[in-house]
Amino acid sequence: MSKRALITGTTGQDGAYLAKFLTEKGYEVYGTYRRLSTPNFWRLQYLNIFDQIQLIPCDLLDSDSLSEALKISNPDEIYNLAAQSFVGASFEQPTSSGEITGLGVTRLLESVRQSCPNARVYQASTSELYGNNIWAPQTEVTPFAPSSPYAAAKLYAYYITEIYRESYGLFACNGILFNHESPLRGLEFVTRKITNAVAKIKLGLETELLLGNMDAKRDWGYAVDFVKAMWLMLQQDKPMNFVIATNEAHSVFEFVEKAFSHANLDYRDFTISDERFFRPCDVEHLCGDYSKAKKVLGWEPEVRFDELVKLMVDTDLERWTRAKAGEHFPWDAFNYPNENRILSRTWKIDR
Ligand code: NAP
Ligand code: G4F
């Protein structure tokens, strides 16, 4: 009999790739989605798996909907990927970020404890937990020092996952994943913001790219590699936490330079620093040591930084070229407003 997996946040980047991965492994895949005024299934459609996923409406703010999702899917494995996942937005919406990304995990774990305690749970933890601590590269035992409302919520989620594992014997793992990107990445995240802008500039549809802190360094991997690690964690004899990373750190500036140069453009002609995109507090340097994952899971990243940048630029160029030619396909960028038009909170405090 095939195994059953429940993915929360299946409409997001990782949710879509994981749904594809598990479907190909023969799982019966159930995916939760939020009721929105405009449907948001483009990633599942883009990957051609929309018809193979059983969809369940569910919100991490709503315990009843979580219980119902567990009842309907009766899962062997649960992947909790749903979150308010954008660090920038967590400064603008700190309370709801805490409710969804932090307390939402307790709602889920409590429902699991009550209705399917034998199901295995993956919790999407993050390298943001390390914040601006002084140790690098970061491992599973590096101290945490969260620097945003998002990271504080994920810290709570990390510990509540440990508490449910220790207190009730749930098979629950924290995957401490460093940044992972892809052509399915949301447009507000810096990598996709850059590659989408490069493609538009190359095709004469845009003239500039406004960015914040370009000195920040991140350990950027490929989402397709990373979802495989999530699955591997739930196949072990006992639940453990793992760092998933590439052990390479690159600055936003390096990403910009490489992305423009791949399209035969000079970033200096188009890139502008804009204070609106600086955060009240930013994480400056993340670099993960994935030795434990390599040893225990046999996992290693396949796609590295240079290849990732090229893959994302090429895909966005191809999409804008097709769109310019009048083709319609599942995609997010077409109606997305230029970020210049988005009025966000100003962070300066008048004393
Ligand atoms: P993403 O693309 O932003 O997807 C987030 C998903 O969560 C979406 O499906 C979203 O639904 C759903 N969601 C948001 N609020 C919800 C709510 N109240 N109830 C139910 N679902 C809700 O994020 P991602 O990049 O795939 O990341 C997946 C997870 O890994 C997140 O928990 C993220 O914090 C964590 N993580 C990501 C990275 C990374 O680099 N990508 C690294 C470490 C950890 P809608 O489509 O309706 O918005
Ligand atoms: O792409 P970002 O928004 O990703 P960030 O903040 O690292 O968070 C992502 O990775 C985490 C794992 O470490 C996940 F937990 C989280 O869910 C998310 O997936 O920003 C990366 C860096 C930051 O230092 C930011 O300040 O890029 C800098 N940056 C500079 N200009 C910008 C911009 N970020 C964005 N989004 N937009 C800019 O214009």
Side-chain angles (χ1 to χ4, degrees):
M1 213 170 67
S2 58
K3 276 194 183 175
R4 300 154 74 92
L6 175 69
I7 303 173
T8 68
T10 198
T11 53
Q13 170 190 258
D14 292 3
Y17 281 124
L18 181 66
K20 182 170 161 64
F21 176 84
L22 293 176
T23 302
E24 286 168 358
K25 283 227 164 283
Y27 277 68
E28 206 171 303
V29 178
Y30 295 78
T32 74
Y33 71 97
R34 288 191 290 176
R35 190 265 156 191
L36 300 171
S37 61
T38 307
N40 175 28
F41 297 116
W42 76 272
R43 292 184 175 93
L44 297 171
Q45 289 159 342
Y46 192 85
L47 295 178
N48 278 323
I49 50 161
F50 186 52
D51 295 337
Q52 294 166 63
I53 311 301
Q54 314 287 325
L55 296 167
I56 307 176
C58 175
D59 196 310
L60 283 189
L61 295 172
D62 186 296
S63 298
D64 293 338
S65 70
L66 282 162
S67 303
E68 198 58 27
L70 293 174
K71 206 160 102 188
I72 295 168
S73 57
N74 186 22
D76 299 296
E77 295 171 14
I78 300 163
Y79 296 86
N80 182 37
L81 308 185
Q84 190 302 92
S85 75
F86 185 41
V87 175
S90 79
F91 286 101
E92 285 160 358
Q93 295 153 20
T95 312
S96 65
S97 297
E99 282 284 356
I100 298 167
T101 306
L103 265 181
V105 182
T106 307
R107 292 187 192 97
L108 173 66
L109 291 170
E110 188 51 27
S111 296
V112 172
R113 183 184 77 79
Q114 289 183 27
S115 66
C116 53
N118 293 322
R120 296 183 168 206
V121 182
Y122 171 85
Q123 165 56 21
S125 283
T126 166
S127 48
E128 280 289 304
L129 296 177
Y130 300 116
N132 282 316
N133 78 21
I134 51 172
W135 292 276
Q138 292 101 13
T139 71
E140 291 79 4
V141 294
T142 303
F144 297 137
S147 304
S148 64
Y150 166 81
K154 282 285 187 185
L155 185 73
Y156 171 85
Y158 173 95
Y159 282 119
I160 202 73
T161 302
E162 299 250 293
I163 287 164
Y164 270 70
R165 178 163 84 207
E166 298 306 322
S167 309
Y168 306 119
L170 291 194
F171 189 112
C173 305
N174 280 295
I176 308 172
L177 271 54
F178 283 62
N179 297 51
H180 44 281
E181 317 293 314
S182 75
L184 299 190
R185 187 59 144 149
L187 281 160
E188 69 273 61
F189 298 95
V190 78
T191 55
R192 182 82 198 294
K193 176 174 172 179
I194 296 166
T195 60
N196 185 54
V198 166
K200 288 180 82 174
I201 290 169
K202 181 74 184 172
L203 297 172
L205 299 166
E206 189 64 82
T207 53
E208 59 188 16
L209 168 62
L210 308 185
L211 288 172
N213 180 10
M214 294 219 280
D215 295 324
K217 289 189 169 166
R218 290 289 182 273
D219 178 333
W220 277 299
Y222 183 36
V224 173
D225 290 344
F226 280 42
V227 298
K228 184 176 174 199
M230 297 174 185
W231 174 75
L232 284 167
M233 285 179 217
L234 296 197
Q235 312 313 309
Q236 303 308 303
D237 291 337
K238 52 180 190 168
M240 281 178 273
N241 302 332
F242 289 94
V243 161
I244 301 298
T246 72
N247 209 344
E248 276 180 43
H250 298 272
S251 65
V252 174
F253 174 76
E254 281 175 81
F255 197 107
V256 169
E257 204 179 17
K258 226 168 246 311
F260 275 98
S261 122
H262 184 58
N264 295 318
L265 297 169
D266 186 337
Y267 75 93
R268 286 171 293 201
D269 297 334
F270 308 101
T271 308
I272 297 168
S273 175
D274 187 316
E275 73 168 45
R276 279 176 299 174
F277 299 107
F278 284 80
R279 293 174 183 169
C281 181
D282 204 1
V283 173
E284 292 301 328
H285 183 108
L286 291 174
C287 183
D289 176 346
Y290 64 89
S291 311
K292 181 179 172 188
K294 185 175 174 186
K295 187 165 167 227
V296 180
L297 306 176
W299 180 89
E300 280 202 82
E302 287 177 23
V303 173
R304 298 284 181 166
F305 183 70
D306 284 11
E307 198 183 334
L308 177 67
V309 177
K310 287 178 189 163
L311 170 76
M312 291 179 69
V313 171
D314 286 342
T315 310
D316 277 329
L317 263 171
E318 184 224 64
R319 288 165 169 165
W320 277 108
T321 306
R322 286 168 66 190
K324 253 184 112 177
E327 200 180 322
H328 292 280
F329 54 94
W331 188 39
D332 57 343
F334 201 62
N335 292 319
Y336 192 73
N338 183 317
E339 283 197 347
N340 274 338
R341 293 194 37 223
I342 301 175
L343 307 175
S344 51
R345 212 182 264 191
T346 156
W347 305 117
K348 289 201 181 106
I349 299 175
D350 295 324
R351 295 190 192 278

